[in-house]
Every structure is written in C-alpha cells, then in structure tokens.
Amino acid sequence: DTETQIVLTFDSFRGRDTESKLACLCFQVLQLCRSGQAVGLRLPGDVYIGPGHGEVHKHQLLQALALWN
C-alpha cells in the first residue's frame, strides 16, 4: 500500500502572476489536506516542506505561503 505524495510548486501554475499562484497553492493545500492526501510544498528561495498530514502540517504549509515573498 503505497500512498501518493504530492509536492506543490510555483511551476504548477505557469503563466499566472505571483498572487494568483499563491491563491491557487492555498486552495490546493486546503483541498488536499481535507481529502487526507499527503502534501508538501516547494517555493522559490529554498523553501521546502516535505509531504505530511494533519492540522499542524496544514498550518505550516499555509504559513509558508502567507510569509513567502
């Protein structure tokens, strides 16, 4: 039983402006966490949070998106 792990990146939303990319990434984080999917995040500037589960992990992902510039 191998769980698929997803790592979201800015590259997933090419052609969009920065704010739109951040909004899309937030939406994806919330949807994937709600479905119980292991999700991580890679942002420009060496920001990396590996795939995981749970409320604390979700808040780490959302905080990284909120603070990224």
Side-chain angles (χ1 to χ4, degrees):
D1 182 26
T2 313
E3 178 183 37
T4 302
Q5 297 184 344
I6 296 173
V7 177
L8 300 171
T9 68
F10 257 41
D11 293 339
S12 302
F13 303 99
R14 291 181 189 266
R16 294 178 181 261
D17 64 33
T18 300
E19 287 300 316
S20 180
K21 288 179 182 183
L22 291 169
C24 289
L25 288 166
C26 285
F27 178 79
Q28 291 276 294
V29 164
L30 292 171
Q31 291 297 104
L32 291 166
C33 287
R34 185 175 295 126
S35 71
Q37 178 69 51
V39 61
L41 182 64
R42 182 181 307 278
L43 298 174
D46 295 328
V47 174
Y48 178 74
I49 301 171
H53 296 96
E55 284 294 310
V56 171
H57 184 72
K58 176 177 75 175
H59 287 287
Q60 288 173 335
L61 297 172
L62 293 173
Q63 182 177 38
L65 288 166
L67 298 177
W68 186 85
N69 58 18

